[in-house]
Amino acid sequence: MQIAPSLLAADFTRLGEEVRRVAEADYLHLDIMDGHFVPNISFGHELVAALRPLTELSFDVHLMLEHPLSYIPQFLQAGADDITFHVECSDSIQETLDAIHQGGVKAGLVLKPDTPVETLWPWLDQIDMVLVMTVEPGFGGQKFMAGMMEKVRRIREHAPGLLIQVDGGVNRETIAACAAAGVDICVAGTAVFRAENPGEAIRMLQSY
């Protein structure tokens, strides 16, 4: 299992140190919220750019934005290695995917829990990753929705080689279900950043 600690769960008073504490992870997951698409605001491309020199981790940028298209250039410049955005957004999915790929990074689509998995089917040959939300997006610390694993299994049947990521409520109790369903990458916030030893927590989660 590949692990992407979510910066949303880090101590914001010492972000540089927090990023260094998760150096054994596979990605750093960066949740960008606009206060419209989800009822919360997190941080923007300036913070992503400030963190970029501090780590060699791949920056996995998740845009929870109503209008992601106009922000793609800023996050490309800030150092994103892959950018995912919501299939439920108001912008053209095709134009947004094209903008990400033209920037030379991987592009993915995100599904909210209530969004039918079939919404993805027209785009499977144009994306590098799917992110299945296992909580309602916008806030950390929510309970894992085990029913979302059926979405994962259906995506795996339709696109065997596609990277599948899940985000929300992943910890040592829930990650086994993710592995069994065919998940490649688990986003983990509280389970990593609030652990006494984040490196040890990452290694444990990676063992699945």
Side-chain angles (χ1 to χ4, degrees):
M1 183 68 70
Q2 296 183 76
I3 301 301
S6 172
L7 194 70
L8 205 61
D11 181 347
F12 273 46
T13 66
R14 51 193 188 106
L15 282 181
E17 183 182 339
E18 290 280 76
V19 168
R20 294 185 183 98
R21 291 173 76 216
V22 298
E24 295 177 63
D26 301 283
Y27 301 83
L28 185 65
H29 188 78
L30 301 160
D31 289 307
I32 313 300
M33 307 178 189
D34 62 2
H36 297 282
F37 186 76
V38 292
N40 202 358
I41 295 173
S42 58
F43 47 84
H45 63 275
E46 296 96 340
L47 180 65
V48 176
L51 295 175
R52 183 67 280 181
L54 304 182
T55 179
E56 295 182 0
L57 287 175
S58 290
F59 276 11
D60 174 34
V61 176
H62 173 194
L63 300 181
M64 302 185 206
L65 309 179
E66 191 68 42
H67 295 286
L69 179 57
S70 60
Y71 291 93
I72 300 304
Q74 290 96 314
F75 284 100
L76 290 170
Q77 188 172 5
D81 293 287
D82 65 71
I83 299 175
T84 58
F85 65 99
H86 279 260
V87 72
E88 308 94 351
C89 76
S90 296
D91 286 344
S92 162
I93 292 176
Q94 186 66 66
E95 289 182 33
T96 308
L97 289 173
D98 288 345
I100 296 170
H101 281 139
Q102 286 164 11
V105 306
K106 294 179 179 178
L109 288 172
V110 190
L111 288 177
K112 287 184 179 182
D114 289 339
T115 302
V117 70
E118 292 83 3
T119 311
L120 286 175
W121 296 168
W123 311 104
L124 287 180
D125 62 345
Q126 296 191 56
I127 57 179
D128 305 288
M129 181 192 301
V130 171
L131 170 52
V132 175
M133 294 301 299
T134 45
V135 297
E136 288 296 334
F139 295 91
Q142 298 181 64
K143 187 177 178 181
F144 178 81
M145 296 180 180
M148 296 301 106
M149 294 304 97
E150 180 57 29
K151 283 186 181 179
V152 171
R153 284 187 281 269
R154 292 195 61 198
I155 294 165
R156 179 60 70 218
E157 289 171 3
H158 278 73
L162 190 64
L163 280 175
I164 302 177
Q165 183 181 58
V166 297
D167 182 1
V170 174
N171 54 40
R172 64 174 63 216
E173 285 78 37
T174 57
I175 194 167
C178 300
V183 173
D184 299 294
I185 306 165
C186 281
V187 177
T190 305
V192 171
F193 279 109
R194 306 294 168 85
E196 188 173 333
N197 185 329
E200 186 177 299
I202 290 166
R203 288 190 296 274
M204 184 276 296
L205 295 171
Q206 287 170 330
S207 69
Y208 282 84

